[in-house]
Amino acid sequence: MNFEAIKSIYFFEMARTRRTLLQSVVSPVITTSLYFIVFGAAIGSRMQEVQGVSYGAFIAPGLIMLTLLNQCIGNGSFGIYFPKFTGTIYEILSAPVSMIEIVIGYVGAAATKGLIVGTIILLTASLFVDISIKHPLMMVLFFVLTAVSFSLFGFMIGIWAKDFEQLNLFPMLIVPPLVFLGGSFYSIHMLPPFWQTVSHFNPVLYLVSGFRWSFYEIADVSPVVSLVTVLCFLLVCLSITAWIFKTGYKLKN
Amino acid sequence: MAPIVSIRNLTKSYASGFTALKGVDLDIEEGEILALLGPNGAGKTTMISIVCGIVTPSGGTVTVAGNDILTDFRKTRAIIGLVPQELTLDAFETVWNTVAFSRGLHGCKPDPALIERILKDLSLYDKKDTVLRHLSGGMRRRVLIAKALSYEPKVLFLDEPTAGVDVSLRKDMWQLVERLRAAGVTIILTTHYIEEAEEIADRIGVINHGEILLVEEKKALMAKLGRKQMTVELAEPITAIPDALAPYGLTLGEEGHRLVYEFDSSGERTGISSLLSALSQCGLRVRDISTEQSSLEDIFVELVGAGK
């Protein structure tokens, strides 16, 4: 194992975050605070409790997930896309590093950034609404697994994308509807039966539900199912990444 | 001694059907400087990219210090340095960080003293905290070299190191190559500038259309293929070449003031003395004589032209 290489990639990526602090940390915090002001404080006070939890507190886990997903996909994809775009990828490809080391470096950094921002959002949320965490260990497990899987997912997008438009396709067009329709702002039990069934095909539902369960013990689907879904997603991403490196897909011509 | 880089029947074809390399065989000896000459699209960069691990070969084998580049890639890539042709650098990093990054990426522990020395050698030390996008083209080229040297490779590939570089920097590069050679580094450089190959290489390989046309000691190559030219300045201009001089195949230039004679310097008889006596028999007075050897450039053009 080339630990020096993992360290180098990881800290190189983390240094990029420091350079773009405003964009990578401050802006998601401001966006999420706006959600809490609008949905939590302004509208939330006029809403009924959802399954015994105030509306503002109910949406907090979903909002953290929304940010975490966007951050991880964004950081994971950009981290590998940018060297591809500028050509500096030659150095990674010609270095004595294996796929595993490259992935640990890039995905590890992207997940770390996602977790940092996610934690800040959690702290911000606790300023606006009452938050309780009933299963802290499960909460951390969901938090970390989601961060890693979606950073890996982002990494794959970064390798697949051939231009900035494709790069932004997932974070801009695909993730928001999945998050909004995945029960971030409501319980799917509020939906008509047909839409409840449709929602079950949305992977984000399982993430948000499991994550929310670790906070308030309320869930749309069983937390075990949620956990299995996240693990399956991680496994699929790992397999695709392994295939990418084996075949050199879009990396080596 | 076994060659440090050994390429056997290396091929590369792309999905589009284009064949970049057609069975290349090449041995590179430890400590030598090999210049690869070839026109654009000849396959130079493809070959280097395969050895370094950036491009996957279609067929054939490459070993570096006895290790296969695919199965033992950790061992081979750890001792190979690459300075790419394009000035590809992370725009927002500083000089120091990008060089330190390269060292780490190759599995070496941080060594600030070494990096300081490399940057000083390349006159980059005063720019160590400068962000890369603020550097000039020549400076970026130096940074790429510093990155490749940061992990002290044994084999260094320089892909057109002096393309678009001014004369003084080119001379600096040549000196650097000399220093590296003295330190025992094997250097393979591709170039368009024949002058460069002539100046610094021990051996010269010519590649075109994905095939190695020849690899030879520079001196032997120049002697073998070198043609010489003798220019005779006449005191009085003439309008036509006298019939008596026809067998020499002379050309007349400079409004009748100059006669040019081409001969093979490696031939048994060069025909110079008989030409000179023939000139005086024709009553032509000679004011000056000069000879010049054909350059590597002429040799190259001849080879590549013949391959078409």
Side-chain angles (χ1 to χ4, degrees):
Chain A
M1 205 73 163
N2 186 345
F3 289 106
E4 288 297 329
I6 298 175
K7 236 171 65 188
S8 299
I9 295 175
Y10 183 86
F11 287 111
F12 191 85
E13 282 298 296
M14 293 309 283
R16 200 157 54 75
T17 315
R18 266 203 306 280
R19 283 200 303 268
T20 55
L21 204 62
L22 208 67
Q23 176 195 333
S24 30
V25 178
V26 180
S27 108
V29 169
I30 291 179
T31 314
T32 319
S33 303
L34 290 174
Y35 276 113
F36 279 115
I37 291 167
V38 174
F39 292 111
I43 300 176
S45 57
R46 292 159 184 258
M47 304 269 279
Q48 284 177 296
E49 287 192 339
V50 185
Q51 290 162 309
V53 178
S54 78
Y55 186 70
F58 178 84
I59 62 167
L63 279 176
I64 295 169
M65 274 292 163
L66 173 68
T67 313
L68 188 65
L69 257 52
N70 269 330
Q71 281 293 310
C72 290
I73 294 178
N75 291 327
S77 59
F78 194 76
I80 190 74
Y81 179 79
F82 200 59
K84 241 178 59 179
F85 177 71
T86 57
T88 52
I89 188 92
Y90 85 87
E91 205 179 5
I92 307 279
L93 295 177
S94 63
V97 290
S98 69
M99 160 231 162
I100 300 182
E101 290 143 2
I102 297 175
V103 169
I104 295 177
Y106 278 106
V107 172
T112 309
K113 282 185 262 183
L115 290 171
I116 292 173
V117 177
T119 309
I120 296 174
I121 303 285
L122 177 64
L123 296 175
T124 317
S126 63
L127 299 178
F128 293 96
V129 291
D130 281 333
I131 285 179
S132 62
I133 302 172
K134 296 215 168 129
H135 301 279
L137 275 181
M138 284 303 281
M139 180 270 194
V140 171
L141 187 65
F142 270 112
F143 205 30
V144 173
L145 278 178
T146 307
V148 172
S149 342
F150 279 83
S151 297
L152 198 56
F153 183 59
F155 184 80
M156 280 159 31
I157 294 170
I159 287 177
W160 163 80
K162 64 173 194 286
D163 48 39
F164 278 98
E165 187 161 37
Q166 288 191 344
L167 188 70
N168 287 323
L169 189 69
F170 280 85
M172 310 273 277
L173 283 179
I174 298 186
V175 172
L178 287 181
V179 173
F180 277 83
L181 302 176
S184 300
F185 296 99
Y186 54 85
S187 160
I188 60 163
H189 299 303
M190 299 173 183
L191 297 173
F194 174 74
W195 290 109
Q196 282 194 34
T197 314
V198 172
S199 298
H200 280 95
F201 290 100
N202 181 351
V204 176
L205 169 75
Y206 299 88
L207 290 179
V208 173
S209 170
F211 196 52
R212 188 180 288 131
W213 175 83
S214 67
F215 281 78
Y216 314 117
E217 281 183 332
I218 52 171
D220 288 335
V221 288
S222 145
V224 179
V225 176
S226 290
L227 195 60
V228 172
T229 312
V230 181
L231 286 172
C232 285
F233 185 66
L234 179 62
L235 212 68
V236 170
C237 291
L238 277 175
S239 318
I240 298 176
T241 315
W243 173 82
I244 286 174
F245 276 86
K246 200 162 164 250
T247 57
Y249 171 77
K250 296 228 180 167
L251 282 178
K252 300 186 182 190
N253 37 10
Chain B
M1 199 168 58
I4 190 148
V5 179
S6 182
I7 300 174
R8 286 286 166 275
N9 198 24
L10 190 65
T11 57
K12 176 67 191 175
S13 7
Y14 290 94
S16 61
F18 175 70
T19 305
L21 293 176
K22 304 170 188 163
V24 168
D25 288 294
L26 179 64
D27 280 328
I28 299 161
E29 303 299 329
E30 190 161 1
E32 76 167 330
I33 300 180
L34 174 73
L36 281 175
L37 295 173
N40 284 327
K44 302 181 298 270
T45 303
T46 307
M47 191 174 92
I48 290 179
S49 300
I50 290 177
V51 178
C52 295
I54 300 167
V55 170
T56 317
S58 305
T61 55
V62 181
T63 59
V64 179
N67 297 305
D68 185 87
I69 54 154
L70 296 178
T71 53
D72 279 327
F73 73 92
R74 277 185 203 276
K75 285 182 190 154
T76 64
R77 293 185 199 169
I79 60 165
I80 296 176
L82 167 65
V83 180
Q85 193 175 330
E86 305 287 335
L87 294 172
T88 45
L89 283 169
D90 206 328
F92 307 104
E93 258 314 328
T94 64
V95 171
W96 182 278
N97 286 352
T98 194
V99 175
F101 173 70
S102 297
R103 182 171 169 84
L105 200 57
H106 284 77
C108 303
K109 293 238 176 296
D111 186 347
L114 174 78
I115 292 177
E116 185 177 326
R117 204 179 71 223
I118 290 171
L119 292 183
K120 281 181 176 161
D121 276 353
L122 287 161
S123 321
L124 277 173
Y125 192 68
D126 56 331
K127 299 251 188 257
K128 70 185 167 68
D129 297 318
T130 307
V131 173
L132 294 168
R133 74 193 142 121
H134 296 313
L135 293 180
S136 67
M139 283 293 177
R140 286 176 194 211
R141 181 73 64 186
R142 288 170 201 249
V143 173
L144 284 172
I145 295 174
K147 279 165 79 75
L149 296 179
S150 68
Y151 48 95
E152 300 169 285
K154 283 199 170 69
V155 180
L156 184 64
F157 286 93
L158 299 168
D159 199 356
E160 309 213 356
T162 51
V165 153
D166 64 27
V167 179
S168 81
L169 181 52
R170 194 179 304 170
K171 291 268 179 324
D172 282 0
M173 297 268 181
W174 292 353
Q175 280 171 11
L176 175 76
V177 168
E178 271 311 315
R179 284 206 301 274
L180 291 170
R181 180 225 290 271
V185 179
T186 308
I187 295 167
I188 299 95
L189 74 117
T190 70
T191 181
H192 274 145
Y193 302 106
I194 315 244
E195 182 199 12
E196 192 161 87
E198 223 171 318
E199 182 85 13
I200 57 180
D202 300 315
R203 282 200 306 158
I204 289 169
V206 178
I207 180 168
N208 197 20
H209 299 303
E211 288 172 298
I212 299 261
L213 299 178
L214 71 89
V215 183
E216 224 162 326
E217 295 286 330
K218 178 177 67 183
K219 289 192 188 107
L221 178 66
M222 308 267 307
K224 194 159 124 192
L225 290 165
R227 292 188 67 78
K228 281 195 135 184
Q229 212 176 47
M230 182 172 77
T231 307
V232 179
E233 297 263 357
L234 298 174
E236 310 288 339
I238 54 172
T239 51
I241 297 169
D243 289 343
L245 299 177
Y248 297 97
L250 302 176
T251 46
L252 190 61
E254 292 275 312
E255 295 175 345
H257 274 291
R258 184 174 285 176
L259 283 169
V260 179
Y261 171 57
E262 279 196 33
F263 61 98
D264 191 343
S265 59
S266 58
E268 284 259 313
R269 307 168 78 93
T270 56
I272 293 176
S273 20
S274 61
L275 172 63
L276 288 178
S277 53
L279 282 173
S280 66
Q281 273 164 23
C282 292
L284 298 174
R285 282 205 302 127
V286 174
R287 194 167 67 190
D288 194 10
I289 293 176
S290 64
T291 67
E292 68 185 30
Q293 179 123 30
S294 64
S295 67
L296 194 53
E297 179 150 4
D298 305 325
I299 298 173
F300 173 72
V301 169
E302 203 169 299
L303 264 174
V304 170
K308 273 183 185 154

